[in-house]
Amino acid sequence: ILNVEQSPQSLHVQEGDSTNFTCSFPSSNFYALHWYRWETAKSPEALFVMTLNGDEKKKGRISATLNTKEGYSYLYIKGSQPEDSATYLCAFQQAGTALIFGKGTTLSVSS
Amino acid sequence: DAGVTQSPTHLIKTRGQQVTLRCSPISGHKSVSWYQQVLGQGPQFIFQYYEKEERGRGNFPDRFSARQFPNYSSELNVNALLLGDSALYLCASSLRLAAYNEQFFGPGTRLTVL
């Protein structure tokens, strides 16, 4: 059974803090790694789709890195804002298979 | 442009009943996937449809079935409901079947089974 682990499960930071989360996935038969942001009462929103080892993606204050050989991806948020409060999900994909999601990291940012 | 829409928003059923959930993908998207999210867990894959054909199925019992219509909308049916079927059911659409295609999610249908 393929397993995707995310850590920490939750964290609480102050406005302006920078933070990062980890997504661990099987290192074999890698095809793609997806990051989503899911705000309460809204639809999950795609942040990044990463396909190559060493990939680095950036969208505003949020960035992500990918290491397919060791099976992990980091998501970084620089200068957290209250509107960054959400659950961040990663999903791993092997060729020809569906997305396998982790349980998510719930971020709470206080002003 | 409208995003992925799902109906109904909320639903309450009793054990043994049957339920149908509906999803309309983003215009032009031909692939629709269904996921079940139980509290405290990540979304779990149920089905994927592309061009009206089932292209993938997760580890769910035969009580779960789905179909995709010519306009690419989709229905998820669950028969003989169990308490454990209580969950948020998410629909996602994408342009193509390719794995790395970005999937766009709807807001979900919250199903409660009493």
Side-chain angles (χ1 to χ4, degrees):
Chain A
I1 296 178
L2 299 173
N3 207 27
V4 177
E5 300 284 345
Q6 289 190 249
S7 62
Q9 182 177 340
S10 64
L11 76 163
H12 184 105
V13 301
Q14 295 295 313
E15 183 176 357
D17 289 348
S18 292
T19 186
N20 64 85
F21 325 133
T22 303
C23 173
S24 300
F25 51 86
S27 56
S28 61
N29 299 321
F30 175 88
Y31 195 80
L33 193 284
H34 303 244
W35 279 102
Y36 287 87
R37 174 170 60 198
W38 196 358
E39 295 177 65
T40 302
K42 294 188 177 180
S43 308
E45 172 197 358
L47 290 173
F48 306 114
V49 181
M50 309 177 80
T51 57
L52 299 175
N53 184 42
D55 244 356
E56 291 189 22
K57 302 268 187 175
K58 187 174 181 181
K59 184 183 288 188
R61 294 179 290 98
I62 304 177
S63 60
T65 61
L66 178 68
N67 184 321
T68 61
K69 295 187 188 308
E70 296 183 38
Y72 65 84
S73 175
Y74 293 139
L75 187 78
Y76 300 92
I77 301 179
K78 183 178 178 182
S80 301
Q81 300 296 310
E83 57 265 31
D84 295 327
S85 297
T87 295
Y88 291 82
L89 291 167
C90 72
F92 163 75
Q93 202 162 19
Q94 293 180 324
T97 67
L99 298 181
I100 301 171
F101 282 87
K103 294 181 181 181
T105 293
T106 299
L107 172 67
S108 176
V109 182
S110 298
S111 56
Chain B
D1 282 344
V4 177
T5 59
Q6 293 186 242
S7 64
T9 305
H10 295 88
L11 205 50
I12 299 175
K13 293 284 188 178
T14 56
R15 279 178 297 176
Q17 284 188 312
Q18 175 264 342
V19 69
T20 298
L21 311 180
R22 295 177 176 82
C23 171
S24 292
I26 290 172
S27 178
H29 284 197
K30 298 182 178 181
S31 177
V32 169
S33 298
W34 287 94
Y35 295 84
Q36 180 197 64
Q37 200 238 355
V38 174
L39 200 62
Q41 303 292 319
Q44 275 205 317
F45 172 71
I46 310 175
F47 285 109
Q48 182 177 36
Y49 276 77
Y50 178 73
E51 289 282 17
K52 301 178 287 288
E53 288 189 8
E54 181 182 308
R55 302 303 290 263
R57 182 183 183 120
N59 189 24
F60 281 81
D62 292 343
R63 299 184 295 108
F64 289 76
S65 64
R67 55 180 175 167
Q68 187 177 33
F69 298 98
N71 66 354
Y72 302 109
S73 67
S74 178
E75 284 183 353
L76 175 70
N77 295 286
V78 187
N79 293 323
L81 285 167
L82 303 174
L83 295 179
D85 295 331
S86 296
L88 180 69
Y89 289 85
L90 293 163
C91 170
S93 75
S94 58
L95 267 174
R96 294 175 293 274
L97 193 58
Y100 50 81
N101 269 192
E102 186 175 336
Q103 293 200 16
F104 295 82
F105 282 85
T109 293
R110 173 73 62 185
L111 172 65
T112 301
V113 182
L114 302 176

